[in-house]
Each structure stands twice: as C-alpha cells, then as structure tokens.
Amino acid sequence: MNIRDNIQKLRNEINEHNYRYYVLDDPLISDVEYDRLFKKLQNLEKENPNFITPDSPTQRVGAPPLEGFGNIKHRIPMQSLANAMDTEEILAFHDRLIRRLGEQRIIEYIAEPKLDGLAVELVYENGKFVNGSTRGDGTTGENITRNLKTIRAIPLALRVEAHSAPALLEVRGEVFIRKDDFNKLNKQQETNDKPVFANPRNAAAGSLRQLDSSITAKRPLSIFCYQAGVIEGISFETHSEFLKELKNWGFPVNPEIKILKGIAEAITFHSDLESRRNSLPYEIDGSVIKVNNYALREELGVRSRSPRWAIAGKFKAQQETSVIEDIVLSVGRTGAVTPVAKLMPVKVGGVVVSNVTLHNQDEIDRKDIRVGDTVLVQRAGDVIPQVVKVILEKRPTNTQPFKMSNSCPECNHDVFRPEGEVVARCQNLSCPAQVKRRIEHFVSKNAMDIDGVGEKLIDQLVEKKLINSVDDLFSLTVHQLSELERMAEKSAENTINAINNSKTTTFHRFVHALGIRNVGEHGAKVLEKAFAGNIEKFMKTNIEDLETIDEVGPIVAETIVTFWLDETNVNIVNNCFELGVVLENNQKNLDQIFIGKTFVFTGSLETITRNEGKEIVEDRGGRSAGSVSSKTDYVVAGENAGSKLKKAEELGIPVLTESEFMDLVK
Ligand code: I6G
C-alpha cells in the first residue's frame, strides 16, 4: 500500500473510532490505543505534509489566533423556543395546537432534554464541513468554524460516499461541557492559577468564543445535534427519521430522545426527566417537546421568534439557603433605586450567588426580609437569583424591618415614589450614579459597542467631571484619558480610536443606546424600519404617528414623545451628530406597498426561496406568516402546494402564482 492510501486508511480508522465513541457511546479500543493510532497518523503526515487535508482528524488542534470573528448569516433564522413554566403550560401548548388544527387528535410528539449550553449551526457542502457559527441574534452569528473543528464529536465529513451526501446540509446543535469534564477543567484552572468557571455553560461559551482555537482545542467540549436548517437533496417526513439519519451521518444525537403518543406521554417524559435531572452527566434546564410530523409542523407554522410546534418545558428552579448580611441601595440609569441583598455566598444550581435584587420596598415588606435573616434562594429560570422566602424559625432576635431611605445613596437628593407605583426614583438627573449607568448602557455591546470603555473608566470620567452625558464621550482627548489612573498613553489612544470607530453606526443601535424607557433593542429595530432610518423624522414624531406602527402601543408612544420634548435629550443627540456620529442607512427604502398585508408562501417556488419571499414582503412593509388564517391577505403558491392552498381556497383568500407575486413587486 502506498503512503497516501496508508494515511487515508488510518484516518478512516480514527474517524470510525470517533463515531463509536461520540455517537454510539460504544468504543472498541482504549484511550491509549486511540492515542497511539493518532500519533501514528500525525507522524506520517509530518513526514508527508503534502498529503495533509483539512478534514484529517489531526487538523483539530487549532489554528493561529484571529483578530476577531467574522459573521455568518443563517439561511433560515435560528429561532428560540417558547417556554412552559409548568405542566399546565405544556397542556396549554397542546390545546393551542389542537385549536389551530381545528380538530381533536392525538399528536405524536418527540422530546429530549434541554441542554444548558450554546446553540451552534454546522454547514456541510457535499458532505464536507465548511463552516459553523453561533446563534448570535438569530439572523447572523459569529463564524467560529476554527473552534468547532477542534471538537472531536463534530464530523469533519459525513459518513457517506461523497456522491450520496446532500449538496447542502445545515445541522443545529448544542455545545456543552459534561459535569465531570467541568470539574476536571476547573481543577486544572486552579492548578495553573487561572480563574475558575462559574458553571459549565460559562465554560462552554468562553471556550467556544476563544480567538485562539488552540485554547478551544484543550477544552472538553461536547455536542448533541437536534435540528436541521436547510437540507438540499433529501427530505424527511418526520423528525425521528431525520434524527436517525443524523446519527448515521456521524452526528451525536441525545440518546434520551423519545417519541411520545399524545400530550400525556410528553408530560410524563418531562416529569420523569426532572426527577432524573441531577443524575444526568450534563446540566439541563428543561425538556424540549416537538411535533414529530413535518407536514403538521408546516401547517402550524412559526411566530416571529419561535416555532408554534415546539415548547421548552422548564424545570422548577433549584434552591439553596443563605444569610442576608446587608441590604444596600443601587441606582439605575433611570434613577430607579433598587434594594439589593448582600448574601453569604452560596452555590445555586452551579453558580455562586452573593447579590440578589429585592426589587422594591413592597416586595421586602411582603416577604418581611430583614438583615440577619436566613433565606431560601433560587435562580429563576435557572438564571436570575431571587429570594423565595425567609426561614422565620432561623430569625435571630433583635432584627428590624428594613425601610429604604428617602435620600439617594449616591447623591443624597430626594428619592420619590409616586403614588400607585412600586419604584422609587432619585429625582436628580445629574446624579452621578444615573449618569454612569446611562453611559454604561450607551457604550454596551448591543448599543454603540465601544470597546475599552468599562465601568472603572466611566467611574473616573464622571467623578472627574470629564463627562456628564453620553455626547461628552465624543469630545474626550487622548491627553485627558492618559492622565487617568491605570491609563497608559497607548490604551488612551486605543480607547479614543474605539470611540471614534463607534461613530459610524445604525439608527437602531443609536436609538437603543439612548436608553429611552420602554424602547429596547427590538423596539429600536421596529422604529428603524418604521422611520426608514430617518432620525430627524423620529425626533419630530407624534403620538398618532407612533401608534400606527405595529408593536408600538400607547405607553411606548408616550415615553418616546416625552423623551423628545425634553430639550436636554434633543441637545445631547444633536451634539452627537455635530461630533461626528453618522447613522448609516441600512434600510432599502423601497416603496412600502405591502403595509398592513399578510402573505403566506407555500409549495416550492422557482425563482426565489420562501425566505426570500418573506424578505421581499417585509422590506415593503408587509408581514409573512407560516400559516393561513382569516387574517391572511394573499397566499403565494408554488408547485405541490398542499394544505395551505386548500385552506386559502376554503377561506376565499386570493392565491397568487409566483410570477403574479413578482409582477406585484415590480
Ligand atoms: O434552543 C433550542 C434547544 C433545543 C431549540 C431546539 C432544541 O431542540 C432540542 N429546537 C428548536 C426547534 C429551536 N430551539 C428553535
């Protein structure tokens, strides 16, 4: 056998052992034997570097560090799942499906554990792994191909002959770290004087987002795959068939997955999983229950953020006890004064908790929370810690009810709580704490995304009165920064560069950054679309115009108008523009001919994909829905349109061919 064939034979052997180990969980050889084979391949490739190919198992060791990650747009958005907080809400999910389908029937579900990891998408062209990305904002994720390649459980090539592989295959899954791997990793970190990770999820996320993939290669990352994106060249009738093929192709699929007849079996699956939660080798925070049949999924359709045919059943949060050592007041960017309990640090569901918000005085009174109390703590949805209740039997003598002070802990100004409201607010708009929080929000990742301007720097800038409001950021100089503590000339220069680079931004980032109450990231995007990216028009808007926008209600409309009535806000924004902020128009400025119209695309289209159809409609002010109802204005039907076309005809909804639709657009 020649060297090239010998190398290929070794690769096949190693890939097959990977498959037995990661996918079948049934290894044939010991780790030592595996390492020996691997070393043999490495040596052969070293002696014959011209035979190295990117899909060789030796190419998983990482590559030179990157400056930053590029972006990858998902061909189909990576949605999230709606949550059911208890079994009643799982039943309600089923009832919604039955109502939508219009008849009582037993639905076949397929369920699995919901892993607490990071969702990724893997793309294969003609059977070869070509790229992989994070979920990101659902539309666009970060290109983490080099890091994903280091995960041995991810096949670099499908286990099929190249000619029978799908031309395009997108597979979605969750990258995670097993509990025992996590404990080993943290021990290693300790030994090497490196910071330990708070929980397996943080460790997995931190490892996947390394710019240096040789670090990722050393982290014990696992993956289970569970969903398809685009697949070309092969189709499936049910999710269980797809998962079976996924396993054959070489992807690890969770062995806990079960097909369930009817919602009662799904609920039993959920409850059983919850009782076994702590004995599973990885952390989970719930179960995922999905409709198994793809035609039925199609009929049910998707909402803007989540599919209608699936639900994440959440488990009850895990609880621990701790002692309240102090209650302090914290001031937010809108002046809200929030009491925060300082706890004796305690590990809840894998995360050390030492600060817990008590929300407001009413909440403290309702639960009668006092300094010195022993309390039950949980992480709500396993994320935000909260005090569930006081354990009164353990209350020491001489405790006093806690009363929030009437003056701001930061600036001593009056704190006022309007009648009927639960939130008390510091009345001083120049309160340094408010100013700091507003600036922290302005520079944050999803707002102006200014790297290098962190909490510590902002504290100094506000305390030294170098900035009072966000526009002042744009007139800072290298000289001013270099005079600050822990700020060398070079970092001062870098920070000013980062500030300058942030000036070219988009309408939605800038509007989100302003921190208008009730206008978050999504709201800013809605406004960007409604005002076609025109900020001057937005600054002069009125309640009536705002209320015509879908997703803008009377409260949001009023806060926006009130915001612009305040001259200080107008001046700050105008100053930003004078100091060089430019909002790039990423709107396509097309005639908004489809405002108020809802389209449904069905069947296979010839010149555009259904997603492109959706984009065409949305760019022109319309909506695209997944299912036909009385609210549908047009159905665009391609070849082999099925139940949706039938329903449109029953409801008397106009049906367009693809070319009629394209004529409308022209
Ligand atoms: O976020 C998710 C976790 C697990 C999912 C998901 C899942 O299935 C096991 N499935 C879908 C369809 C989506 N998100 C959108």
Side-chain angles (χ1 to χ4, degrees):
M1 195 184 287
N2 65 28
I3 291 176
R4 191 194 197 129
D5 289 346
N6 208 354
I7 287 180
Q8 195 49 48
K9 185 168 161 268
L10 255 178
R11 283 180 191 158
N12 292 347
E13 219 175 307
I14 290 172
N15 283 337
E16 201 54 28
H17 287 305
N18 274 347
Y19 173 69
R20 298 219 46 127
Y21 184 87
Y22 292 108
V23 181
L24 303 185
D25 194 16
D26 182 22
L28 283 182
I29 56 172
S30 70
D31 290 358
V32 176
E33 281 171 289
Y34 179 91
D35 290 344
R36 209 174 288 141
L37 281 177
F38 199 87
K39 195 86 210 145
K40 196 165 154 193
L41 177 61
Q42 269 179 327
N43 287 340
L44 272 176
E45 286 183 345
K46 207 159 152 194
E47 287 158 16
N48 305 280
N50 46 328
F51 291 148
I52 298 178
T53 57
D55 63 354
S56 168
T58 58
Q59 300 305 296
R60 295 185 186 269
V61 286
L66 293 169
E67 294 275 322
F69 296 116
N71 287 333
I72 291 186
K73 191 162 188 253
H74 305 302
R75 289 179 179 86
I76 299 176
M78 284 181 80
Q79 294 193 305
S80 43
L81 292 173
N83 288 332
M85 301 315 286
D86 50 34
T87 49
E88 263 170 42
E89 289 188 12
I90 298 179
L91 255 184
F93 154 74
H94 173 75
D95 288 344
R96 280 197 297 279
L97 298 198
I98 293 294
R99 241 178 290 132
R100 208 160 240 285
L101 296 172
E103 59 175 304
Q104 215 28 270
R105 60 171 117 165
I106 294 190
I107 296 179
E108 187 170 87
Y109 289 106
I110 181 157
E112 64 183 277
K114 185 164 191 308
L115 284 144
D116 204 6
L118 240 93
V120 298
E121 176 164 83
L122 312 169
V123 181
Y124 292 78
E125 284 172 10
N126 301 313
K128 296 266 188 271
F129 177 57
V130 288
N131 67 52
S133 51
T134 58
R135 180 207 299 254
D137 64 2
T139 310
T140 308
E142 282 177 322
N143 182 342
I144 51 163
T145 309
R146 290 149 52 118
N147 294 353
L148 290 168
K149 271 184 83 171
T150 69
I151 303 177
R152 282 201 196 159
I154 295 179
L156 299 178
L158 305 187
R159 294 180 73 250
V160 287
E161 296 297 323
H163 63 85
S164 55
L168 176 65
L169 170 70
E170 293 179 344
V171 173
R172 292 165 181 186
E174 196 90 353
V175 171
F176 63 99
I177 295 186
R178 281 165 205 273
K179 291 175 189 169
D180 54 352
D181 285 332
F182 172 74
N183 292 333
K184 268 189 239 156
L185 174 64
N186 261 355
K187 280 212 184 87
Q188 250 173 36
Q189 292 284 109
E190 259 173 328
T191 318
N192 299 333
D193 269 341
K194 299 238 174 81
V196 293
F197 297 100
N199 55 45
R201 189 185 186 284
N202 287 5
S207 304
L208 259 193
R209 296 199 65 262
Q210 285 289 338
L211 291 169
D212 182 350
S213 53
S214 67
I215 298 180
T216 315
K218 294 190 190 111
R219 301 279 168 80
L221 295 168
S222 301
I223 188 169
F224 277 134
C225 295
Y226 55 69
Q227 185 72 22
V230 174
I231 308 183
E232 278 171 12
I234 180 165
S235 63
F236 301 92
E237 282 189 11
T238 60
H239 192 53
S240 42
E241 273 175 22
F242 164 70
L243 292 176
K244 199 163 149 205
E245 190 65 12
L246 208 51
K247 214 169 145 181
N248 283 337
W249 279 329
F251 296 93
V253 173
N254 196 323
E256 300 282 344
I257 295 181
K258 269 211 171 107
I259 297 174
L260 305 155
K261 297 252 181 288
I263 198 64
E265 282 192 24
I267 289 176
T268 308
F269 175 90
H270 173 81
S271 309
D272 171 61
L273 196 61
E274 182 160 19
S275 67
R276 294 191 297 121
R277 170 184 197 174
N278 290 326
S279 60
L280 288 174
Y282 38 77
E283 289 203 341
I284 60 171
D285 56 4
S287 65
V288 178
I289 301 168
K290 298 175 173 177
V291 169
N292 193 23
N293 185 288
Y294 282 164
L296 202 52
R297 286 189 181 187
E298 180 77 1
E299 201 175 332
L300 290 162
V302 297
R303 290 172 291 245
S304 66
R305 297 189 192 176
S306 56
R308 281 204 189 84
W309 40 261
I311 193 97
K314 293 293 213 175
F315 293 153
K316 276 181 229 52
Q318 296 192 331
Q319 302 181 331
E320 294 295 339
T321 57
S322 179
V323 175
I324 297 193
E325 295 180 328
D326 197 3
I327 298 177
V328 299
L329 299 180
S330 139
V331 185
R333 73 183 145 89
T334 59
V337 179
T338 310
V340 177
K342 296 278 170 190
L343 292 182
M344 208 143 85
V346 59
K347 223 168 175 182
V348 188
V351 174
V352 177
V353 175
S354 47
N355 294 322
V356 181
T357 174
L358 301 178
H359 303 289
N360 51 58
Q361 183 70 55
D362 287 2
E363 185 77 359
I364 294 179
D365 293 345
R366 200 168 60 76
K367 292 181 179 160
D368 187 18
I369 298 169
R370 305 180 182 191
V371 173
D373 271 342
T374 297
V375 288
L376 194 62
V377 184
Q378 72 175 19
R379 287 201 294 145
D382 277 354
V383 183
I384 304 159
Q386 55 186 213
V387 169
V388 182
K389 64 171 187 179
V390 172
I391 300 172
L392 285 174
E393 297 76 13
K394 295 204 174 168
R395 173 169 282 170
T397 47
N398 301 328
T399 59
Q400 298 297 323
F402 180 83
K403 280 280 162 270
M404 281 172 64
S405 146
N406 286 331
S407 55
C408 172
E410 299 276 346
C411 69
N412 270 329
H413 262 66
D414 288 349
V415 167
F416 176 65
R417 178 178 163 187
E419 243 194 71
E421 288 194 17
V422 286
V423 179
R425 283 179 207 280
C426 164
Q427 299 299 299
N428 173 16
L429 279 180
S430 326
C431 165
Q434 288 186 49
V435 174
K436 287 176 193 170
R437 300 294 101 75
R438 282 200 288 271
I439 296 168
E440 279 165 22
H441 172 75
F442 189 78
V443 303
S444 64
K445 182 113 188 92
N446 294 340
M448 295 295 278
D449 191 16
I450 308 183
D451 240 8
V453 182
E455 235 176 85
K456 296 230 164 66
L457 177 59
I458 294 172
D459 280 356
Q460 288 194 67
L461 291 170
V462 174
E463 272 151 31
K464 296 217 153 59
K465 302 212 183 317
L466 288 173
I467 50 179
N468 283 313
S469 51
V470 296
D471 51 326
D472 293 338
L473 276 170
F474 299 115
S475 35
L476 287 171
T477 63
V478 173
H479 177 70
Q480 283 174 323
L481 291 193
S482 57
E483 306 242 292
L484 299 175
E485 275 167 39
R486 279 177 305 213
M487 189 54 102
E489 180 90 9
K490 187 71 202 152
S491 3
E493 260 174 42
N494 288 345
T495 306
I496 295 294
N497 281 341
I499 293 175
N500 285 338
N501 288 341
S502 77
K503 286 181 185 170
T504 302
T505 183
T506 56
F507 177 108
H508 72 260
R509 277 185 175 275
F510 184 68
V511 168
H512 172 49
L514 293 176
I516 305 172
R517 261 166 83 186
N518 307 317
V519 178
E521 205 180 338
H522 177 69
K525 284 186 181 162
V526 169
L527 292 166
E528 176 169 54
K529 203 157 207 167
F531 288 91
N534 185 331
I535 189 94
E536 288 83 15
K537 234 166 105 185
F538 176 53
M539 290 169 76
K540 296 198 184 96
T541 188
N542 56 47
I543 301 243
E544 293 78 62
D545 283 353
L546 284 166
E547 284 194 17
T548 63
I549 302 171
D550 232 8
E551 298 191 61
V552 175
I555 296 176
V556 177
E558 194 185 325
T559 44
I560 291 173
V561 171
T562 314
F563 184 86
W564 293 125
L565 280 177
D566 186 337
E567 254 178 56
T568 320
N569 292 330
V570 176
N571 288 339
I572 288 174
V573 168
N574 285 335
N575 273 345
C576 287
F577 295 140
E578 270 165 32
L579 293 167
V581 171
V582 177
L583 307 188
E584 279 192 334
N585 195 345
N586 59 358
Q587 297 298 297
K588 296 176 186 160
N589 278 336
L590 298 167
D591 281 345
Q592 300 291 292
I593 51 172
F594 292 150
I595 282 184
K597 299 282 181 244
T598 301
F599 284 74
V600 172
F601 291 88
T602 181
S604 38
L605 304 175
E606 271 181 11
T607 59
I608 51 168
T609 63
R610 277 190 237 164
N611 253 345
E612 284 163 348
K614 178 170 188 261
E615 203 170 305
I616 291 173
V617 168
E618 287 176 351
D619 285 345
R620 290 160 179 78
R623 273 177 176 260
S624 160
S627 58
V628 178
S629 73
S630 57
K631 293 195 184 124
T632 311
D633 294 290
Y634 295 100
V635 169
V636 181
E639 282 290 304
N640 301 322
S643 57
K644 290 184 197 175
L645 177 58
K646 200 163 146 241
K647 187 146 184 204
E649 283 163 356
E650 279 165 18
L651 294 173
I653 292 164
V655 177
L656 303 175
T657 62
E658 184 176 342
S659 74
E660 284 169 335
F661 170 70
M662 294 311 279
D663 283 345
L664 271 187
V665 174
K666 276 180 206 133

